[in-house]
């Protein structure tokens, strides 16, 4: 999730403290002869440097003890071999002698465990390269009744070379079987379209799948061969750093460069954020306006199994480094990439996407107008809390939301829905500015640094931009800054929070520190950076947003409700706690507040679409836990067909229409007439809104929040006068 990065610029006290203490680190100075190995002690230096920065700069560093050591051991071994296809049980038994010693090795700059595991991994990988070539040299027998268990987290390590050979055989067979079934379907479709088409034989297709799998594995191992020891050491370092908390991590130089590029907000490719899930690459988020988002076929939670360039053979990316999967998916605008994905419901699909530039415009706020029951409402979508640190006159979310509110007021709207679903956060100052648009003045968020008094950030502008009905939409992917905004609006009782049961639960701030600033006269080259947790957020009521997130006033069924995807599902997440509340006064102008919540809950309980979504969520949870696959082609096809048939029950979810018409504001209509791309993007967004049952319910809540006895006010009445009038009515 996005760090609230202006604290790196704002919180000078912490940074200065760290920088002043960095004189201690000048002991790291290297006076090696230039003819020597340029970095004989680089790894030890990094360990010492990271330990120092963590001690001085982390908000609440974990105690470095045996429990800490066990966490490093678990995370590191899983990172090296997530699908348990390299190490033998005998290797793990040998490694286990160090399980309670890694805390001491970290502090003592001891590389014994790392060197042992690195050497063994290289050996096992070389053995595996010979293994898969032997397996793929002969046709598979798909009539045999056998299964493969892909529950990598719980399956044991292989006890012998014979057992690991068998695991590789079954894993490769599952991959080729999936490809074979897909190829057969393609051949059948071609035959249906053209009766004269001569279908490829089973033998031909079977051979093609083995050749494709061989090429994919060759490519994969070629990439692995190119990884130097520094890469694997950075894996080890991150296994240590993330034990302090999930958001503290080491950036190797290449990763730091990539991080800098990502903050710029301009992407080229399919417009999707990817994460690693065991041996798989998972779609984590679709970028609004990007090709994948517009295509409406990919969704969060999908697993990418293969990647193909245009008409080329697909490459198996299971087990491949995330960076290398990203490189294969990325490409120039206008080129095609074909992704073989396992959908969240278990079905396998091939999805074609034409790459494009994902413009930064789509990270900006936008609004729409809709009429319902004779009233006008505004919907504002905020994908992130953006700001341009280098240009004070540049765009930022606070100024843009204020502008959208002003534009909506000119259209005489009767309520606002502010949508921060899937918003991973961003700039803290913009949260204060946005919340301040809806209250007269007062505290918005409390921030605490280690060993320091809390800092309360206030909206000091007494002007209220919008004093009418307000709904904030969230989901389980709303994180960090999104949670602060929702919490402030909830604590003030200024608006109603609707969405998933609770938001993500990231209540911490990270700063990115360049490690090179702490070392002088080194021949090491770039040492990278450390993203470190330095502060913690608290609501104005005193409770932290960490772990718990924000609980919605109105909970709407969520397709992903049963999947473990939040901060609370991470074993070493920082705990929830509370501090003293800030001094604030709740909003008193929502006389229908509780009634609107009650009405919404009642509607949702009776809504057939929401019942179907809840049923679908439970079904997805069941399918997500099914990890045993038949390697018999007849049984495999039957299972896939069953999944597809079961999935048809949930097709009405994507086919749903709320019969509402969403329109752009007048200024944007003018711009759209001169910009075909903008017109296409807005029409796609409006279409998505017209199929969104969640937005429909948000508008129902705005209906219920209306002060029914109040005649529509004129646009020239001041916000303060409006507030007084509503209180009296």
């Amino acid at each position: 999730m996005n760090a609230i990065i202006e604290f790196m610029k704002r919180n000078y006290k912490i940074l200065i403290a760290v920088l002043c203490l960095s004189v201690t680190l000048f002991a790291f100075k290297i006076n090696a002869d230039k003819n020597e190995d340029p970095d004989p002690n680089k790894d030890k230096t990094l360990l010492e440097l990271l330990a120092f920065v963590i001690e001085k700069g982390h908000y609440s560093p974990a105690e470095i003890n045996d429990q800490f050591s066990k966490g490093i051991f678990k995370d590191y071994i899983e990172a090296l071999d997530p699908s348990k296809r390299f190490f033998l049980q005998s290797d793990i038994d040998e490694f286990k002698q160090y399980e309670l010693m890694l805390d001491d090795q970290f502090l003592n700059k001891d590389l014994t465990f790392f060197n042992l595991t690195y050497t063994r991994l290289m050996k096992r990988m070389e053995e595996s390269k010979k293994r898969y070539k032997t397996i793929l040299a002969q046709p598979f027998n798909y009539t045999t009744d056998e299964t493969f268990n892909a529950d990598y987290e719980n399956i044991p390590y292989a006890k012998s070379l014979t057992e690991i050979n068998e695991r590789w055989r079954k894993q490769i067979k599952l991959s080729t079987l999936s490809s074979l079934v897909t190829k057969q379907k393609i051949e059948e479709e071609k035959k249906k379209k053209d009766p004269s088409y001569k279908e490829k034989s089973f033998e031909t297709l079977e051979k093609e799948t083995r050749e494709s799998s061989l090429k994919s594995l060759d490519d994969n191992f070629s990439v692995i061969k190119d990884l130097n020891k520094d890469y694997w050491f950075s894996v080890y370092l991150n296994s240590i750093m993330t034990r302090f908390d999930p958001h503290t991590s080491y950036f190797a130089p290449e990763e730091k460069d990539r991080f800098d590029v990502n903050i710029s907000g301009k992407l080229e490719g399919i417009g999707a954020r990817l994460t690693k899930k065991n041996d798989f690459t998972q779609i984590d988020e679709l970028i609004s306006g990007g090709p994948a988002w517009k295509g409406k076929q990919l969704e969060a939670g999908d697993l990418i199994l293969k990647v193909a360039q245009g008409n080329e053979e697909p490459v198996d990316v299971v087990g491949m480094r995330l960076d290398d999967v990203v490189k294969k998916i990325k490409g120039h605008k206008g080129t095609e990439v074909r992704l073989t994905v396992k959908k969240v419901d278990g079905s396998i699909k091939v999805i074609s996407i034409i790459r494009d530039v994902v413009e930064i415009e789509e990270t900006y706020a936008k609004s729409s107008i809709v009429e319902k029951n004779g009233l006008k409402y505004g919907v504002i979508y905020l994908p992130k809390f953006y700001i341009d640190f280098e240009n004070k006159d540049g765009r930022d979310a606070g100024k843009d939301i204020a502008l959208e509110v002003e534009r909506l007021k000119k259209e005489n709207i009767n309520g606002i829905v502010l949508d921060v679903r899937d918003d991973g956060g961003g700039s803290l100052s913009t949260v204060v500015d946005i919340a301040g648009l809806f209250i007269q003045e007062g505290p918005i968020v409390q921030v605490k640094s280690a060993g320091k008094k809390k800092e309360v950030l206030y909206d000091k502008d007494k002007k209220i931009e919008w004093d009418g009905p307000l709904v904030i939409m969230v989901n389980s992917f709303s994180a960090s800054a999104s949670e602060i905004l929702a919490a402030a609006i909830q604590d003030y009782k200024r608006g109603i929070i609707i969405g998933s049961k609770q938001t993500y639960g990231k209540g911490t701030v990270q700063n990115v520190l360049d490690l090179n600033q702490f070392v002088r006269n080194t021949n090491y080259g770039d040492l990278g950076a450390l993203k470190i947790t330095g502060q913690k957020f608290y609501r104005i009521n005193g409770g932290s947003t960490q772990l718990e997130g924000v609980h919605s006033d109105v909970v709407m069924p969520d397709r992903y409700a049963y999947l473990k995807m939040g901060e609370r599902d991470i074993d070493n997440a920082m705990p929830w706690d509370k501090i003293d509340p800030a001094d604030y006064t709740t909003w008193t102008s929502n006389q229908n507040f509780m009634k609107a919540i009650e009405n919404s809950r009642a509607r949702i309980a009776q809504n057939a679409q929401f019942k179907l979504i809840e049923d679908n969520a439970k079904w997805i949870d069941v399918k997500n836990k099914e990890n045993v696959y038949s390697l018999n082609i007849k049984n495999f096809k039957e299972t896939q067909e069953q999944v597809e048939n079961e999935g048809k029950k949930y097709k009405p979810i994507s086919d749903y229409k709320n019969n509402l018409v969403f329109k752009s504001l007048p200024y944007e209509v003018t711009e759209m007439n001169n910009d075909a791309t903008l017109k296409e993007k807005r029409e796609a967004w409006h279409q998505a809104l017209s199929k969104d049952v969640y937005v429909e319910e948000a508008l129902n809540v705005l209906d219920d929040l209306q002060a029914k006895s109040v005649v529509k006010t004129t646009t020239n009445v001041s916000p303060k006068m409006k507030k007084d009038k509503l209180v009296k009515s």
Side-chain angles (χ1 to χ4, degrees):
M1 297 294 170
N2 293 333
I4 301 186
I5 56 179
E6 86 253 26
F7 258 73
M8 185 165 56
K9 295 180 176 286
R10 294 181 68 255
N11 210 323
Y12 292 113
K13 292 181 180 179
I14 288 178
L15 297 182
I16 289 173
V18 174
L19 288 170
C20 289
L21 288 164
S22 68
V23 67
T24 308
L25 295 178
F26 289 156
F28 295 159
K29 182 177 70 173
I30 301 301
N31 296 313
D33 189 288
K34 290 184 179 180
N35 294 323
E36 292 179 7
D37 183 343
D39 52 12
N41 297 307
K42 180 179 178 180
D43 292 346
K44 292 183 178 182
T45 298
L46 267 173
L47 284 171
E48 186 173 1
L49 181 56
L50 290 170
F52 175 84
V53 177
I54 285 287
E55 180 187 354
K56 303 302 180 185
H58 196 280
Y59 176 81
S60 179
E63 187 177 349
I64 302 175
N65 53 21
D66 287 351
Q67 192 64 31
F68 184 85
S69 182
K70 290 176 71 174
I72 298 172
F73 183 87
K74 176 179 175 292
D75 291 352
Y76 178 54
I77 297 301
E78 284 183 0
L80 294 184
D81 190 11
S83 55
K84 298 180 180 176
R85 60 177 180 168
F86 294 122
F87 291 135
L88 296 171
Q89 183 61 53
S90 58
D91 296 324
I92 302 302
D93 292 341
E94 185 177 352
F95 300 158
K96 275 275 188 178
Q97 65 180 304
Y98 296 97
E99 186 177 22
L100 301 181
M101 299 167 59
L102 300 183
D103 53 333
D104 298 316
Q105 289 198 3
F106 170 48
L107 296 175
N108 296 327
K109 304 179 291 297
D110 186 339
L111 302 175
T112 303
F113 177 68
F114 168 70
N115 289 330
L116 170 65
T117 52
Y118 169 75
T119 303
R120 188 64 50 81
L121 181 65
M122 295 302 103
K123 177 185 177 183
R124 296 305 185 206
M125 284 184 168
E126 193 60 34
E127 292 171 352
S128 298
K129 188 173 182 180
K130 298 173 184 176
R131 184 175 293 126
Y132 76 76
K133 290 182 182 293
T134 301
I135 293 169
L136 288 166
Q138 300 296 326
F140 287 108
N141 180 356
Y142 292 113
T143 63
T144 306
D145 284 329
E146 58 182 355
T147 59
F148 176 71
N149 186 353
D151 184 7
Y152 301 120
E153 186 176 349
N154 294 309
I155 61 173
Y157 287 92
K159 293 182 175 60
S160 64
L161 290 175
T162 301
E163 190 177 333
I164 204 166
N165 284 341
E166 183 67 357
R167 182 169 295 178
W168 269 84
R169 183 189 69 81
K170 287 186 174 183
Q171 190 171 41
I172 293 172
K173 184 177 180 180
L174 176 61
S175 176
T176 56
L177 174 57
S178 173
S179 295
L180 178 59
V181 171
T182 300
K183 284 178 176 287
Q184 285 182 322
K185 286 183 179 178
I186 293 172
E187 291 297 301
E188 291 169 4
E189 290 171 3
K190 287 181 179 178
K191 185 69 174 179
K192 285 180 183 178
K193 291 180 181 178
D194 180 8
S196 65
Y197 176 76
K198 185 178 180 180
E199 295 180 68
K200 293 181 181 179
S201 67
F202 178 89
E203 290 74 21
T204 298
L205 296 177
E206 193 279 335
K207 184 180 179 182
E208 285 181 358
T209 59
R210 282 187 292 113
E211 290 173 345
S212 176
S213 186
L214 179 63
K215 183 179 184 302
S216 296
L217 286 165
D218 281 342
D219 289 345
N220 192 11
F221 274 82
S222 176
V223 170
I224 291 174
K225 185 179 179 181
D226 291 339
L227 299 176
N228 58 26
K229 195 173 182 179
D230 284 347
Y231 167 79
W232 297 107
F233 188 61
S234 70
V235 173
Y236 179 55
L237 290 180
N238 263 315
S239 298
I240 300 171
M241 293 300 101
T242 55
R243 293 317 301 177
F244 288 101
D245 78 275
H247 305 288
T248 291
S249 59
Y250 169 68
F251 285 162
E254 187 182 62
E255 290 177 287
K256 173 61 166 59
D257 292 341
R258 194 159 43 247
F259 177 81
D260 291 340
V261 170
N262 286 339
I263 307 182
S264 69
K266 190 170 184 179
L267 306 168
E268 186 172 10
I270 67 170
R273 301 193 194 281
L274 310 178
T275 58
K276 206 69 178 172
K277 184 178 182 182
N278 293 325
D279 230 14
F280 296 96
T281 300
Q282 178 175 277
I283 301 293
D284 188 50
E285 176 190 356
L286 299 182
I287 308 301
S288 175
W293 178 84
K294 287 192 282 189
K296 305 187 188 314
Q297 294 188 74
L298 279 179
E299 58 186 327
D302 287 349
L303 302 177
I304 300 175
L305 308 179
K306 299 180 182 182
V307 179
Q309 310 301 326
N311 293 323
E312 295 180 14
E313 279 292 312
V315 175
D316 192 339
V317 297
V318 177
M320 192 177 289
R321 286 177 63 217
L322 180 61
D323 289 347
D324 297 307
V325 178
V326 171
K327 287 176 184 176
K328 290 184 181 299
I329 294 174
K330 276 179 154 183
H332 295 298
K333 176 181 177 179
T335 58
E336 180 192 25
V337 62
R338 288 184 294 115
L339 306 181
T340 302
V341 302
K342 179 184 177 184
K343 303 291 291 177
V344 292
D345 62 13
S347 62
I348 308 292
K349 290 187 178 179
V350 178
I351 297 173
S352 171
I353 302 174
I354 304 301
R355 300 178 177 103
D356 201 351
V357 173
V358 184
E359 304 210 8
I360 196 168
E361 179 65 34
E362 284 310 305
T363 69
Y364 295 151
K366 58 188 176 185
S367 62
S368 177
I369 287 182
V370 59
E371 291 191 23
K372 186 176 186 298
N373 296 334
L375 298 175
K376 275 187 182 179
Y377 295 121
V379 177
I380 304 176
Y381 174 54
L382 182 64
K384 64 190 292 188
F385 291 78
Y386 50 87
I387 194 169
D388 186 346
F389 290 118
E390 306 303 323
N391 179 10
K392 66 178 182 179
D393 297 321
R395 295 188 67 169
D396 72 60
K399 290 188 290 188
D400 284 356
I401 294 293
L403 181 59
E404 294 302 326
V405 170
E406 189 62 34
R407 287 165 171 166
L408 289 170
K409 283 166 61 178
K410 289 179 181 178
E411 300 303 311
N412 296 316
I413 50 123
N414 300 91
I416 290 177
V417 173
L418 180 52
D419 184 357
V420 292
R421 291 176 295 175
D422 301 320
D423 186 330
S427 160
L428 181 62
S429 63
T430 60
V431 180
V432 177
D433 292 340
I434 293 170
L437 299 174
F438 306 109
I439 65 168
Q440 187 168 8
E441 62 179 335
I444 303 300
V445 63
Q446 305 185 93
V447 185
K448 198 169 186 301
S449 303
K452 297 181 183 294
K453 291 183 178 180
K454 70 178 183 182
E455 179 184 6
V456 183
L457 304 186
Y458 291 87
D459 165 48
K460 298 179 180 179
D461 185 353
K462 293 185 178 182
K463 182 180 179 183
I464 305 173
E465 288 295 335
W466 176 252
D467 66 350
L470 175 67
V471 168
I472 307 291
M473 295 186 70
V474 299
N475 63 10
S476 54
F477 299 106
S478 300
S480 199
S482 300
E483 297 174 283
I484 297 168
L485 175 64
I489 295 299
Q490 188 176 63
D491 289 345
Y492 275 108
K493 295 190 182 299
R494 173 61 187 89
I496 292 177
I497 313 302
I498 70 172
S500 303
K501 180 181 178 182
Q502 61 197 109
T503 55
Y504 187 84
K506 180 181 180 296
T508 57
V509 193
Q510 285 70 46
N511 301 315
V512 179
L513 300 177
D514 187 340
L515 296 176
N516 297 290
Q517 66 185 305
F518 301 112
V519 183
R520 65 182 181 185
N521 299 337
T522 176
N523 294 322
Y524 292 161
D526 194 344
L527 292 173
L530 179 67
K531 178 160 68 76
I532 184 172
T533 296
Q535 292 91 21
K536 201 170 183 180
F537 293 126
Y538 294 88
R539 304 170 64 135
I540 57 174
N541 71 6
S544 173
T545 57
Q546 173 61 19
L547 218 64
E548 284 295 308
V550 177
H551 291 256
S552 296
D553 298 313
V554 176
V555 177
M556 298 191 284
D558 179 352
R559 289 184 74 199
Y560 311 110
Y562 299 98
L563 301 182
K564 294 183 177 181
M565 304 177 91
E567 183 96 356
R568 58 199 165 276
D569 300 311
I570 305 173
D571 70 341
N572 65 320
M574 294 179 70
W576 178 90
D577 64 341
K578 64 185 299 185
I579 59 175
D580 293 336
D583 184 16
Y584 66 100
T585 303
T586 56
W587 189 261
T588 59
S589 298
N590 288 335
Q591 58 265 57
N592 298 326
F593 192 83
M594 292 309 300
K595 186 64 177 176
I597 292 174
E598 292 171 9
N599 289 350
S600 183
R601 289 172 178 171
R603 272 192 304 269
I604 290 170
Q606 298 301 318
N607 186 294
Q609 183 74 354
F610 281 125
K611 288 180 180 178
L612 188 62
I613 291 171
E614 175 67 18
D615 188 29
N616 186 219
K618 293 176 180 176
W619 183 72
I620 287 175
D621 183 45
V622 170
K623 294 301 176 185
N624 190 55
K625 293 172 182 175
E626 293 178 357
N627 294 300
V628 178
Y629 299 90
S630 174
L631 301 180
N632 176 290
I633 191 168
K634 179 176 178 293
N635 296 337
F636 184 86
K637 284 182 176 180
E638 288 176 353
T639 301
Q640 287 299 309
E641 186 176 347
Q642 180 184 351
V643 170
E644 289 176 9
N645 288 334
E646 289 176 1
K648 289 177 183 177
K649 175 183 176 182
Y650 305 108
K651 194 171 184 298
I653 293 175
S654 57
D655 292 341
Y656 181 80
K657 292 184 179 179
N658 55 36
N659 297 318
L660 296 169
V661 178
F662 295 83
K663 299 178 181 179
S664 287
L665 277 68
Y667 86 94
E668 195 170 67
V669 172
T670 302
E671 292 181 2
M672 286 162 55
N673 290 334
N674 300 315
D675 187 341
T677 301
L678 177 62
K679 183 177 181 181
E680 179 186 354
K681 289 178 179 179
R682 289 300 180 264
E683 287 177 348
W685 181 45
H686 294 159
Q687 183 181 20
L689 290 174
S690 70
K691 295 167 68 68
D692 194 328
V693 69
Y694 299 102
V695 170
E696 180 182 23
E697 181 54 31
L699 296 172
N700 288 336
V701 174
L702 286 183
D703 256 355
D704 289 336
L705 283 172
Q706 297 300 314
K708 305 298 183 183
S709 62
V710 177
V711 179
K712 188 186 297 184
T713 58
T714 58
T715 56
N716 61 347
V717 176
S718 71
K720 185 67 169 65
M721 288 176 64
K722 284 187 190 177
K723 182 178 177 182
D724 291 342
K725 189 170 185 179
L726 288 172
V727 170
K728 293 173 184 176
S729 64

